[in-house]
Amino acid sequence: MRVRYIDNCSGLLIIYMIFTHIIQFSGLENDEIYQYSFRVFYFFMPWFFFKSGQFLKVNYNSVNVVKLTKKLLYPLLFYTIIGCLLFIPFGIKEEGSVGLYLLRVIKDFVYKGSTYANLPLWFLTSLFIAKVVLSKILSININVFIILLITLLFFFLIVYYDVCYPLLGSSFLGFLWIIFGYIYNKIEKYIHCKLIGFMAALYLFNSLFNFSLVDVRTCSLVSGNWVQWFLSVFSGIVIFNKIIALASKRNVTILYKIGSSSMFYYCSHWLILLVLKYYIIPQNINGNIVFFVNGLALLAFYGLFPYMKRILINCIYGSKE
């Protein structure tokens, strides 16, 4: 059973993520709107891990692992292969041969969890690792708060000693935010209005003053400090969920449709932007024009080909869902 407000949250954050990638492909990273948007949605990547924790099933068995593999690793491999095939002429040009390009892809997966040909898929790799490990630990009846404290200790140690390569770091962060989501799901009913007000103040303080920001993919602190980031992101997620839950009393069809099919949009948008950058849009074009073309192309792809999602799902899973 789907939770409508969660799908609406997911839909809005998927739109925001695609917007940031359009900006990056357009070379407009210094644009003020782009920079200030992080002060509003700095919690957006942890939110997806957090959501997964809210619906986490603790039963660890081969059947559930197979289901998780089908849900996460099948699209990971499928969309990665498409990306690599699209990028292969340029990969060969950069590396010198097909063999060296494939070696680079493998190294990127081991080190980062994805390759440039579909960079956002690192999330699926980290999510799979974090969910499998956490489900296994919870299945042997270790208290979740003990797991949280030990994980936080190890995380801050690897960050302090700078031994945190991207896939390890993003998996650790994913693990933590899944735990936070799992705990929140159990204590949500005890969170009263005064506490929500305090969380709103903490979220706004981070946005407006001493801004703390983390790049979850690379597990790197962009600004501020880790403790404030964890506290303000948790607060931001809770406040965001509450606001969207209230707004979802009215039917927001577009957000629900995108959110309920978030995997398709998440995995496919980078491929379209890749094709536009390397095959269609000439170099040295004004960034604002590139932004317009990228946005229009994505709207056309998702708007004029409503059956594309179903076709790709059938290709990945071999049968209709």
Side-chain angles (χ1 to χ4, degrees), residues 10 14 37 63 86 121 185 188 217 235 253 270 279 282 284 300:
S10 180
I14 285 290
S37 72
V63 174
L86 290 172
L121 299 189
N185 191 52
E188 181 180 8
R217 180 179 67 85
S235 300
T253 305
W270 189 273
Y279 289 97
N284 302 319

Side-chain angles (χ1 to χ4, degrees), residues 46 78 113 143 150 168-169 177 180 202 210 212 234 239 250 275 304 319:
F78 178 79
N143 185 278
I150 292 174
L168 175 64
W177 285 111
F180 286 134
L202 189 59
N210 184 35
S212 294
F234 184 86
I239 298 303
R250 294 186 175 184
V275 169
L304 298 179
S319 61

Side-chain angles (χ1 to χ4, degrees), residues 108-309:
D108 283 346
F109 253 100
V110 173
Y111 187 68
K112 303 174 183 177
S114 67
T115 182
Y116 174 75
N118 207 333
L119 192 60
L121 299 189
W122 67 267
F123 170 74
L124 302 184
T125 310
S126 298
L127 182 62
F128 178 81
I129 294 170
K131 288 193 74 169
V132 168
V133 173
L134 182 56
S135 295
K136 177 61 177 178
I137 294 173
L138 289 174
S139 70
I140 56 180
N141 295 320
I142 299 177
N143 185 278
V144 68
F145 291 99
I146 294 176
I147 298 171
L148 176 60
L149 290 174
I150 292 174
T151 307
L152 281 170
L153 175 63
F154 272 98
F155 176 75
F156 282 113
L157 283 174
I158 64 173
V159 168
Y160 180 80
Y161 288 105
D162 195 24
V163 292
C164 188
Y165 70 91
L167 180 57
L168 175 64
S170 62
S171 297
F172 250 110
L173 283 174
F175 189 88
L176 284 167
W177 285 111
I178 291 171
I179 294 176
F180 286 134
Y182 180 77
I183 293 173
Y184 176 76
N185 191 52
K186 295 184 176 298
I187 66 171
E188 181 180 8
K189 60 184 177 182
Y190 302 110
I191 297 178
H192 49 75
C193 293
K194 290 183 179 179
L195 185 55
I196 291 175
F198 175 76
M199 288 181 173
L202 189 59
Y203 163 75
L204 290 173
F205 174 80
N206 188 62
S207 296
L208 300 174
F209 300 105
N210 184 35
F211 186 47
S212 294
L213 178 66
V214 168
D215 184 339
V216 178
R217 180 179 67 85
T218 59
C219 190
S220 56
L221 185 66
V222 178
S223 62
N225 65 81
W226 282 101
V227 174
Q228 182 176 317
W229 180 77
F230 272 111
L231 293 174
S232 56
V233 166
F234 184 86
S235 300
I237 290 172
V238 172
I239 298 303
F240 178 69
N241 282 357
K242 294 292 184 183
I243 292 172
I244 300 301
L246 289 172
S248 295
K249 291 179 181 179
R250 294 186 175 184
N251 191 16
V252 189
T253 305
I254 184 65
L255 293 183
Y256 176 74
K257 285 186 175 181
I258 294 173
S260 60
S261 303
S262 57
M263 181 71 78
F264 168 66
Y265 294 99
Y266 187 90
C267 294
S268 62
H269 76 280
W270 189 273
L271 300 177
I272 301 166
L273 293 172
L274 198 74
V275 169
L276 290 168
K277 178 179 180 178
Y278 288 96
Y279 289 97
I280 297 175
I281 300 176
Q283 293 183 351
N284 302 319
I285 298 295
N286 181 274
N288 292 314
I289 296 175
V290 177
F291 177 84
F292 176 77
V293 172
N294 283 334
L296 195 63
L298 283 167
L299 286 173
F301 179 82
Y302 293 129
L304 298 179
F305 299 97
Y307 300 107
M308 186 62 69
K309 182 188 74 171

